[in-house]
Each structure stands twice: as C-alpha cells, then as structure tokens.
Amino acid sequence: MDQPTWQAGVYAALKAAGIRQIGYVPDAGHAHLINAAHADPDMRAVVLTTEEEGIALAAGAWLGGQRAALLMQSSGVGNCINMLSLSVNCRMPFLTLVTMRGEWGEFNPWQVPMGVATPTVLGAAGVHVRRADRPDEAVEMVAASAALAFDSHIPVAVLFSQRLLGAKVFVK
Amino acid sequence: MSRPNDGTLDRREVVAALMRDPGDLLVVTGLGAATYDVGAAGDRPLNFYLWGAMGGTAMIGLGIALAQPTRHVLVITGDGEMLMGMGSLATVAAAGARNLSIAVLDNHRFGETGSQYSHTGYTTDLAAVAAACGWTNTAVARDMAEVEALRPRLREENMFAVLRISAEEKTRHLPPRDGALLTLRFRQAMGLTND
C-alpha cells in the first residue's frame, strides 16, 4: 500500500521523542502509524474501546517511566474531556495526534459538529492545540509538539487537517 | 437500607488485608471510597490515588504495567468506577499485560453520592464481564478467608476479583489529593527523574 512519506516522518518523530506506548482508536488517516506501531518491537500499540482510555493509558505510562501518545479522530475528542483533567491536574505530559473530519470536503454530516468543535473543546479543557495543514509542516509540528508536551509537562494536541489527509471518498 | 443479596465484608478490613506488607506493589485507586480505604490502610508513595478521572483507573494501571513489566500493578476501585470504565476490561485483556490485577470493592451502590444502586445491584456481574473480555483468572470473594486467599494471587497473577463488601459507610479518610504531588512522589519512589 502506498503511504505518504510525511506519515513515515511523523512515526520517526514519535520515535525520536521517545514514545514507547501508542493508544489508538483507528482512523484511516492514522493507518500508517498504527501499522508501524504494531510492527515495531520497541513500541506497545494498544487498541482502545474509547478515546478517553488513551489519556489514562498515557498517564499510567508516565507514572511508570515511559512516554505515550494517543491517536484518534476528531469525533473522539468529545469522548475525552473529563479524562483530560489528569494531565492538567497531575502536571503530566500528554500528546495526541488528531485526524480531522467535518471540514475539507466532508461527505458525512454527522462528522461536522465535533469536527468544528474540536479545537475549541480541546482549548477549553486546557490542551494546547497545534494544526498541520501541509505535508511539509506535519513532521516538524509533531516533533515540536512532543518537545513542548514532554519538556514542559503539558497536554498538546496536533490536528492533522482534512485537507492534508484527503477527504474520505464514500461514492466512487 | 440493605437487600438480601448485599455483601457482608467490611471494606476497610478487606483493603487492609490486600495492602498488608505491600512491598513495592504499585497501587492505583479509583475515586471515592476506594481511595479513602487504601489511604486508611497506610499512605505510601507507590499509591496513586484518583480523586477524579472516573473510569480511568484500570487504564492507568495498564500504562504502568506496560512500562514496568517486571513489577506488579494492583488496581483497587469500586463497582461504579469500574462500570464507567467497563470497556477498559476489554482493552486491558487484549493488551495482554500479565503483571496487572484489578480488585473491585463491590457494594452494589454509588456510595459517594447517596448510595444509589449501581448496575451490579440490578443485573451486572462484573466478574462474568471480565471473563467474557478475556480475563482467564476471575474470582468473587464473600468472606475474609476468600479475601486472604486472593491476596497473593492479586500480586502474582493477572487477576480480576470482585470483593462483596457491605454497603456500610465509613468515616472518610482523606489521603493527598494534589495530582502533581502524587505523580512526582510516585515517580521518585520508582527511581525516576522528573523527565
């Protein structure tokens, strides 16, 4: 399967940041990272039933001396809000990569409300929000955001715009 | 108000037994009475008490267990907190960490908020849920002999146990609640720096 090289770069950035655990609720836009994590003997990839589990997983990883990241889609951000109190309250680092839906060429109207609300909701919960719109900025955005999260002990989300990912095609 | 099917175990006695001679056991407690019970058994840096983040206790345990595969993690929580994080029973089982156990103090009630009946007081059997999610070692304890028998298993096996405590409310014992303090002292006790 052809994969855009920027996603390989993002995985390399996560590795360079010392990430050892990746919790995820699958999204097509994260497929490369999920496959790479499962194929990597030095990474624990943990499939979740709901996105908030990944915040608690990351908190536990930090308590145990490892770094974790959460991969999710914008629709999952709404499932996370109360659990985000962990990072803020405990002054723990937290890094999440969010694939955006409901913005660029969206076919499915059910994706629009949470897509629109995602940056506002994350901000209101105390998460620092960054956004990558172009392939040439995605890798350094992840690297810089990981540094911010783990060096300054704060929660950081990187939003991968739907334009960057390409809108999901429902009718071919 | 009690029901014929209520548990009879004393929650403080149960937790004191589980926490006796804890050694370097890594303990995560669910918000509410489980946190008070573990604090009452003796505060220690390797206890990570939740005062919020309801539903997240088992997943925090999993993150620690994956990061520290040579040590054992014990999650102690209540039926309400476990019900909110019921999906994590599937996630923890699928992740396959063998160095994690969960002990649920089950009084069939949301004790912190006025003792409303929880799902375990109606129809839900959490040990059966865990088994269906792939936990191979599950147990229900109804007397102190069964609790004592579970104590070593909860420290050595990948065990899910339901402890049928009575609905009696205890005096609140309030361990530290500053999350940053709890995090820092836990990591320091693990020999970790703050990076």
Side-chain angles (χ1 to χ4, degrees), chain A residues 21 44 46-50 52-67 82-83 85-86 89-92 150-151 153, chain B residues 48 50 53-56 59-60 62-64 66-68 87-88 90-91 94-97 177-180 182-183 186-187 190 192 194-195:
Chain A
Q21 299 184 29
R44 285 302 307 251
V46 179
V47 63
L48 311 170
T49 70
T50 179
E52 63 186 307
E53 289 177 1
I55 298 164
L57 178 77
W62 182 250
L63 288 170
Q66 286 190 347
R67 296 178 172 193
N82 184 56
M83 205 61 79
S85 63
L86 268 176
N89 217 27
C90 298
R91 277 188 41 76
M92 288 180 180
F150 291 103
D151 293 342
H153 293 197
Chain B
F48 189 77
L50 290 170
M54 185 167 176
M59 287 303 301
I60 293 174
L62 177 62
I64 300 171
L66 293 176
Q68 293 286 335
S88 63
T91 298
R177 64 184 186 280
D178 181 321
L182 293 167
T183 300
F186 189 98
R187 283 175 54 94
M190 301 275 292
L192 302 165
N194 205 26
D195 288 310

Side-chain angles (χ1 to χ4, degrees), chain A residues 2 4 19 24 45 53 81 86 101 104 108 111 123 142:
Chain A
D2 273 342
I19 303 293
Y24 66 91
E53 289 177 1
I81 304 308
L86 268 176
R101 294 288 303 270
W104 175 264
N108 183 353
Q111 289 283 355
V142 170

